Amino acid sequence: MIRTEGVADVTEETFEREVLGSALPVLVQFTADWCGPCRQLAPVLGEIARQEAGRIRVVQLDVDRNPGVTVRFGVMATSTLMVFRAGEPVKSMVGARPKRKLLQELEDVLAAA
Protein backbone atom coordinates (compact mmCIF):
# COMPACT_ATOMS: atom_id res chain seq x y z
CA MET A 1 0.00 0.00 0.00
CA ILE A 2 1.16 3.52 -0.74
CA ARG A 3 2.26 5.05 2.58
CA THR A 4 1.63 8.75 3.10
CA GLU A 5 2.28 10.65 6.32
CA GLY A 6 -0.98 11.85 7.83
CA VAL A 7 -3.12 9.42 5.82
CA ALA A 8 -4.30 6.42 7.83
CA ASP A 9 -5.00 2.97 6.39
CA VAL A 10 -8.46 1.48 6.90
CA THR A 11 -9.63 -2.07 6.21
CA GLU A 12 -12.94 -3.89 6.03
CA GLU A 13 -12.53 -4.58 9.76
CA THR A 14 -11.96 -0.92 10.71
CA PHE A 15 -14.05 0.90 8.08
CA GLU A 16 -17.24 1.05 10.16
CA ARG A 17 -15.50 2.57 13.17
CA GLU A 18 -12.90 4.76 11.43
CA VAL A 19 -15.03 6.11 8.57
CA LEU A 20 -18.74 5.63 9.16
CA GLY A 21 -18.48 6.34 12.88
CA SER A 22 -16.21 9.38 12.61
CA ALA A 23 -17.33 12.69 14.09
CA LEU A 24 -15.44 14.50 11.31
CA PRO A 25 -16.12 14.07 7.59
CA VAL A 26 -13.75 11.46 6.13
CA LEU A 27 -12.11 11.55 2.70
CA VAL A 28 -11.43 7.96 1.63
CA GLN A 29 -9.02 7.20 -1.19
CA PHE A 30 -9.80 3.83 -2.75
CA THR A 31 -6.31 2.85 -3.86
CA ALA A 32 -4.04 0.02 -5.00
CA ASP A 33 -0.29 -0.52 -5.18
CA TRP A 34 -0.41 -0.70 -8.98
CA CYS A 35 -2.41 2.55 -9.43
CA GLY A 36 -0.37 5.36 -11.01
CA PRO A 37 -2.88 8.17 -10.31
CA CYS A 38 -3.02 6.97 -6.67
CA ARG A 39 0.74 7.50 -6.38
CA GLN A 40 0.39 11.00 -7.87
CA LEU A 41 -2.38 11.85 -5.43
CA ALA A 42 -0.63 10.52 -2.29
CA PRO A 43 1.42 13.66 -1.51
CA VAL A 44 -1.60 15.89 -2.19
CA LEU A 45 -3.69 13.89 0.28
CA GLY A 46 -0.90 14.04 2.84
CA GLU A 47 -0.78 17.83 2.57
CA ILE A 48 -4.57 18.13 2.88
CA ALA A 49 -4.57 15.76 5.87
CA ARG A 50 -2.08 18.01 7.68
CA GLN A 51 -3.59 21.33 6.56
CA GLU A 52 -7.22 20.42 7.32
CA ALA A 53 -6.66 18.11 10.32
CA GLY A 54 -9.42 19.68 12.42
CA ARG A 55 -12.02 19.63 9.66
CA ILE A 56 -11.60 16.37 7.74
CA ARG A 57 -9.88 13.00 8.18
CA VAL A 58 -8.05 11.49 5.22
CA VAL A 59 -7.72 7.71 4.96
CA GLN A 60 -6.93 5.14 2.28
CA LEU A 61 -8.40 1.72 1.60
CA ASP A 62 -6.66 -0.87 -0.59
CA VAL A 63 -9.25 -2.15 -3.10
CA ASP A 64 -7.42 -5.44 -3.68
CA ARG A 65 -7.26 -6.33 0.01
CA ASN A 66 -10.73 -4.99 0.90
CA PRO A 67 -13.13 -5.94 -1.91
CA GLY A 68 -16.22 -5.94 0.33
CA VAL A 69 -16.12 -2.20 1.07
CA THR A 70 -15.13 -1.47 -2.52
CA VAL A 71 -18.17 -3.31 -3.90
CA ARG A 72 -20.49 -2.00 -1.16
CA PHE A 73 -19.91 1.59 -2.28
CA GLY A 74 -19.84 0.89 -6.02
CA VAL A 75 -16.21 1.84 -6.57
CA MET A 76 -15.35 0.92 -10.15
CA ALA A 77 -12.02 2.73 -10.62
CA THR A 78 -8.93 3.78 -8.75
CA SER A 79 -8.23 6.40 -7.63
CA THR A 80 -11.73 7.04 -6.38
CA LEU A 81 -12.09 9.62 -3.64
CA MET A 82 -15.25 9.43 -1.58
CA VAL A 83 -16.29 11.74 1.24
CA PHE A 84 -18.37 10.32 4.09
CA ARG A 85 -20.28 12.46 6.57
CA ALA A 86 -22.36 11.05 9.42
CA GLY A 87 -21.90 7.53 8.04
CA GLU A 88 -23.11 8.33 4.52
CA PRO A 89 -21.24 8.96 1.27
CA VAL A 90 -21.83 12.59 0.26
CA LYS A 91 -19.34 13.14 -2.58
CA SER A 92 -17.39 11.02 -5.04
CA MET A 93 -14.56 11.97 -7.41
CA VAL A 94 -12.37 9.85 -9.68
CA GLY A 95 -8.78 10.50 -10.70
CA ALA A 96 -5.75 12.48 -9.59
CA ARG A 97 -5.98 16.24 -9.33
CA PRO A 98 -3.81 19.05 -7.96
CA LYS A 99 -4.25 20.15 -4.36
CA ARG A 100 -5.92 23.46 -5.26
CA LYS A 101 -8.58 21.74 -7.39
CA LEU A 102 -9.25 19.08 -4.76
CA LEU A 103 -9.64 21.72 -2.05
CA GLN A 104 -12.12 23.58 -4.29
CA GLU A 105 -14.11 20.35 -4.72
CA LEU A 106 -14.08 19.83 -0.96
CA GLU A 107 -15.12 23.43 -0.08
CA ASP A 108 -18.71 22.50 0.81
CA VAL A 109 -17.57 19.63 3.03
CA LEU A 110 -14.90 21.71 4.77
CA ALA A 111 -17.26 24.65 5.29
CA ALA A 112 -19.75 22.43 7.12
CA ALA A 113 -17.11 20.93 9.41
Side-chain angles (χ1 to χ4, degrees):
M1 177 107 87
I2 303 163
R3 301 281 178 226
T4 305
E5 187 177 332
V7 178
D9 296 341
V10 294
T11 64
E12 290 183 353
E13 292 76 29
T14 63
F15 191 85
E16 192 83 27
R17 179 179 71 248
E18 298 291 326
V19 176
L20 303 183
S22 176
L24 287 176
V26 182
L27 174 61
V28 180
Q29 179 191 29
F30 290 84
T31 187
D33 288 334
W34 46 263
C35 172
C38 300
R39 290 185 186 285
Q40 286 181 305
L41 201 49
V44 171
L45 294 177
E47 288 178 31
I48 290 174
R50 284 185 294 279
Q51 179 181 324
E52 302 296 340
R55 300 197 300 167
I56 193 167
R57 286 192 68 217
V58 181
V59 301
Q60 62 182 1
L61 180 122
D62 186 297
V63 298
D64 293 327
R65 295 185 186 116
N66 301 282
V69 173
T70 304
V71 169
R72 176 178 172 189
F73 292 102
V75 174
M76 303 296 284
T78 56
S79 171
T80 292
L81 299 171
M82 197 172 286
V83 179
F84 290 82
R85 183 187 296 138
E88 296 294 326
V90 296
K91 184 179 287 273
S92 183
M93 303 156 278
V94 177
R97 58 220 339 108
K99 178 181 166 188
R100 184 177 58 226
K101 180 166 175 31
L102 182 54
L103 283 171
Q104 287 173 343
E105 292 173 308
L106 293 172
E107 273 181 3
D108 57 331
V109 175
L110 295 172

